Amino acid sequence: MDRGLVLVLRELSEADAAGVFPRLAGLRGIDAMMPNEVCLSDALVADVARIGSGAELVRAAANPRLTASQLCRLIEAGGEAVVAGVFPPDVESADVESPGSGASRGGASVGSGGEGSVGDGSADVLDRARAELRRPGTSAERAVELLRAHPVLAHTARQAGSVRLLHSPDAPVTRTEALDQAGSALRAGVLAPREILLRMRPARVAAQVLAVVSREHAYVTGEMAVHDLLRPAIVETLGTSSAAWAHLARALGRCTGTLPELFAESAVHTGEAAIRVPAAVRPSVGFLLRRLNEDELTAVIPHLDDATAVALLPGNIPPLAHVAEAALRCGHPALLAALAEHQHVGRQYASRLRDLGDDGLDLLLVNNDSGVTAELRREIYTGRRPGRPVAPMHPDLRMRLMETPAYSAEYEAMARSGDPAVVDFALPRCEARKLRRIDWIDVVLNLWERADPLVTRDVLTRHRDLFPDRIRTTAETALAAEDPTPLRELRAKWDRGPRTEPPVPEYRRPPGERLRDSPLEQWHSWLVTAASDGDVDCEEIVQHARPVRFALEALVSVDTNHWSKANPRPALARLAKRIGPNPEAWVVLATLTPDFEGTLTELADVCAAAAG
């Protein structure tokens, strides 16, 4: 809650903050008003520097999202204690440079502005400056001088271990080294995804790092930010050229340059159109291919080898809409099979796969218990497809149904399949209570449609004791007359129409509608994702999200993602203006936030009214 309160408080002007912050700090303590991992305004940092004690300044300076100028402000107020607290001693730094060397006293200093100064960005200079900041006894004046000469030290001098990613951004790095350093740098806002794309080398590591930071929440980057960054670079160079993609697949593993350099090199390549991707770089190439839209993928997928095509559909997330659409358009056999087997294939894509009329895909859909509904499996059993006559059941599907273990068999659905062998096998094993009257009629009608009256009469005679009396006599009359009309009329009489559709699950509702209609629960990552992807505006969170404590938590999470489409600051600035500059209004805000069940806008009005 304190993090959310500070998020709103930072939007006050310097004059208003000077009155509000000391009042809240006296009520809650400066430590509560300076939470970690929150971006603060210069006005708040100035107030902390003005009224904070030594220990409070040290704790406030530990916030990794402070800018270099804000950190300098706290060091000037707290002196050497803040320097020692922010930059812990590094035992290795003593070996880099002795205390009596010219970097710290005498001779040309690191930040003196001469050749090799911090301002020129030399890695050696930055490393020496970082070592000096982490050395015990560094004065506050010297720390401020170094930080102002090169702001990146405000982040790298805090970190233990290697910081080569920021000090030498053009030097080759390994995947492990890059990910270890990128996490804290992305969260602190000193490293942008664009810098990874443009400067990180080799290209394979850059692709791997971008794939990880776009997928994992710990890197606070998000899929859309990386997608929007990569897509223009890929479309303008590689596009839908199969020769370019084939060259990229061959060269990615050995390229020592950056990704844009590899894209440019591949764009001018002409040669074999088949795209054969080595297994070692297949995940990276698949990640880059997914930046294309469905039209572009439709042109490229036919040239892919089977393993790479399948890799376009990760099995642990729902199928990407543009990849699934491209698969259905181009008809790549391996990709269609992967879609049919996908645990999240869903009704929409499963129905379209069934309508293709491929017996192999039908069998895969039937075997996919986790991704295909029982209703769709029943439709596959009957062989019905829009605009096509009913086809005989494929022998492989028939064998699969008849060999299914009893604990997982769907005998009632099998009995309505219309296949004589399957119906004859399933009817004695059905539970009568699970079949409605119209289902018994469908057993006969489907047999009649898929086989012929003689076979239907034979099955009915063999199992006549299972059928309800009226249905049995009506069926026997219809078969004698070789006219199914009486059965159809009886079915129409008893048919009550389709069963009521179940309500749409909460997680499938549009985010904006869900936000307006339902209160937030403790786990509301869906809202953060929707805001980061641009599906929900932060103003909507301020106006509609409730209760307040969860709305603030969501806004804090959105604010942590520097690179997403969402920017909560304009909405929070309007909220702060609505509360006003009266310190007592902010006291009411801090007091009511934990228990207020309404929205932030409603709470702001209450605070302004309570303070008069």
Side-chain angles (χ1 to χ4, degrees):
M1 189 277 291
D2 290 323
R3 299 173 70 190
L5 178 61
V6 173
L7 215 63
V8 185
L9 189 62
R10 74 181 181 189
E11 302 304 326
L12 288 176
S13 65
E14 187 171 353
D16 293 341
V20 173
F21 185 82
R23 178 71 175 90
L24 291 177
L27 179 69
R28 308 181 65 83
I30 286 185
D31 288 344
M33 301 307 298
M34 292 292 287
N36 204 11
E37 296 281 353
V38 174
C39 183
L40 302 175
S41 65
D42 292 340
L44 291 185
V45 175
D47 287 332
V48 173
R50 178 168 51 87
I51 66 175
S53 64
E56 290 170 336
L57 293 175
V58 172
R59 288 191 289 270
N63 186 348
R65 293 190 65 179
L66 293 176
T67 65
S69 61
Q70 291 173 345
L71 186 55
C72 288
R73 192 76 174 264
L74 296 178
I75 290 174
E76 290 172 339
E80 282 73 14
V82 176
V83 177
V86 174
F87 307 121
D90 192 341
V91 293
E92 298 177 357
S93 66
D95 300 330
V96 175
E97 193 172 335
S98 62
S101 66
S104 59
R105 57 179 65 85
S109 67
V110 173
S112 62
E115 184 177 358
S117 68
V118 173
D120 67 13
S122 166
D124 291 338
V125 173
L126 290 175
D127 289 342
R128 291 200 305 271
R130 174 176 176 269
E132 184 177 353
L133 281 172
R134 294 175 68 85
R135 184 182 303 123
T138 301
S139 67
E141 293 77 11
R142 181 60 179 158
V144 170
E145 179 186 357
L146 293 173
L147 291 171
R148 286 179 174 163
H150 208 296
V152 73
L153 292 172
H155 173 75
T156 58
R158 297 173 184 262
Q159 309 301 315
S162 175
V163 291
R164 193 156 60 105
L165 184 63
L166 293 174
H167 282 193
S168 305
D170 297 317
V173 291
T174 65
R175 177 183 183 273
T176 301
E177 183 182 14
L179 288 175
D180 285 345
Q181 298 174 44
S184 60
L186 286 166
R187 288 192 296 272
V190 297
L191 177 68
R194 177 171 294 277
E195 295 173 19
I196 298 175
L197 171 65
L198 297 180
R199 303 189 69 172
M200 184 176 288
R201 61 185 70 223
R204 178 185 177 185
V205 171
Q208 291 172 331
V209 170
L210 287 172
V212 172
V213 302
S214 69
R215 182 179 67 245
E216 298 186 10
H217 295 297
Y219 294 92
V220 299
T221 302
E223 173 79 17
M224 289 307 300
V226 175
H227 177 82
D228 294 341
L229 173 67
L230 275 173
R231 176 167 165 74
I234 291 175
V235 171
E236 292 170 6
T237 53
L238 304 174
T240 59
S241 170
S242 57
W245 281 101
H247 180 266
L248 178 136
R250 291 192 300 269
L252 183 59
R254 64 176 185 267
C255 177
T256 58
T258 64
L259 271 176
E261 292 170 354
L262 179 58
F263 292 163
E265 175 189 326
S266 302
V268 299
H269 186 80
T270 57
E272 185 181 1
I275 305 173
R276 298 182 178 88
V277 184
V281 298
R282 188 174 295 135
S284 298
V285 174
F287 168 72
L288 296 175
L289 279 167
R290 286 193 289 271
R291 303 313 110 198
L292 301 177
N293 62 30
E294 57 266 28
D295 295 327
E296 294 156 351
L297 278 173
T298 303
V300 174
I301 286 175
H303 302 283
L304 295 176
D305 60 82
D306 289 352
T308 304
V310 170
L312 293 175
L313 285 173
N316 59 340
I317 59 174
L320 300 173
H322 65 297
V323 176
E325 184 65 33
L328 290 163
R329 287 184 188 179
C330 69
H332 192 289
L335 188 54
L336 289 177
L339 182 59
E341 293 177 309
H342 201 287
Q343 63 176 330
H344 302 296
V345 60
R347 171 80 191 199
Q348 175 187 358
Y349 297 126
S351 299
R352 294 177 64 181
L353 288 168
R354 175 208 59 191
D355 294 343
L356 294 176
D358 185 288
D359 293 320
L361 293 178
D362 285 350
L363 186 58
L364 292 176
L365 289 171
V366 169
N367 288 331
N368 187 357
D369 293 332
S370 61
V372 177
T373 63
E375 179 184 5
L376 185 64
R377 284 197 295 275
R378 288 196 297 270
E379 295 174 7
I380 294 174
Y381 298 162
T382 61
R384 288 193 174 88
R385 297 183 179 90
R388 301 185 186 185
V390 176
M393 182 177 289
H394 192 274
D396 291 344
L397 178 57
R398 182 184 301 117
M399 187 65 66
R400 189 270 185 198
L401 293 179
M402 297 178 69
E403 291 180 351
T404 302
Y407 64 82
S408 62
E410 299 172 314
Y411 293 125
E412 292 75 24
M414 292 163 58
R416 286 174 282 166
S417 67
D419 183 82
V422 174
V423 174
D424 189 58
F425 172 79
L427 271 176
R429 295 168 173 81
C430 289
E431 295 184 48
R433 61 183 181 84
K434 292 184 178 180
L435 288 170
R436 300 169 296 173
R437 292 179 297 179
I438 61 173
D439 293 334
W440 286 105
I441 297 176
D442 286 340
V443 170
V444 180
L445 288 176
N446 291 346
L447 264 174
W448 199 325
E449 181 180 10
R450 202 166 192 180
D452 58 62
L454 293 177
V455 173
T456 305
R457 181 183 292 109
D458 182 57
V459 174
L460 179 63
T461 301
R462 188 177 299 115
H463 303 289
R464 66 188 314 273
D465 294 339
L466 299 177
F467 287 81
D469 292 342
R470 184 171 180 183
I471 296 174
R472 183 180 64 250
T473 56
T474 304
E476 290 172 344
T477 302
L479 286 167
E482 296 187 356
D483 181 9
T485 301
L487 280 172
R488 293 194 176 111
E489 291 176 348
L490 185 60
R491 189 189 192 286
K493 177 181 177 181
W494 284 340
D495 190 4
R496 299 175 182 175
R499 294 177 177 177
T500 305
E501 289 290 331
V504 177
E506 188 73 8
Y507 67 91
R508 288 189 176 177
R509 297 174 61 197
E513 176 185 319
R514 186 176 175 186
L515 175 66
R516 288 187 293 271
D517 297 345
S518 306
L520 295 178
E521 298 177 352
Q522 183 174 2
W523 307 111
H524 48 264
S525 58
W526 64 269
L527 179 57
V528 178
T529 301
S532 299
D533 292 345
D535 297 330
V536 170
D537 189 77
C538 290
E539 185 65 39
E540 295 182 73
I541 299 178
V542 171
Q543 292 183 0
H544 302 297
R546 63 188 192 278
V548 161
R549 60 187 182 279
F550 292 150
L552 287 176
E553 288 179 10
L555 288 169
V556 168
S557 298
V558 173
D559 182 69
T560 303
N561 187 344
H562 310 277
W563 321 115
S564 73
K565 295 181 178 179
N567 179 12
R569 300 203 66 165
L572 292 173
R574 288 187 286 272
L575 182 68
K577 185 176 180 180
R578 194 168 190 143
I579 298 171
N582 190 332
E584 299 309 314
W586 291 86
V587 171
V588 175
L589 176 71
T591 304
L592 294 183
T593 292
D595 302 313
F596 195 81
E597 295 299 321
T599 66
L600 280 166
T601 302
E602 294 167 350
L603 179 57
D605 293 338
V606 170
C607 295

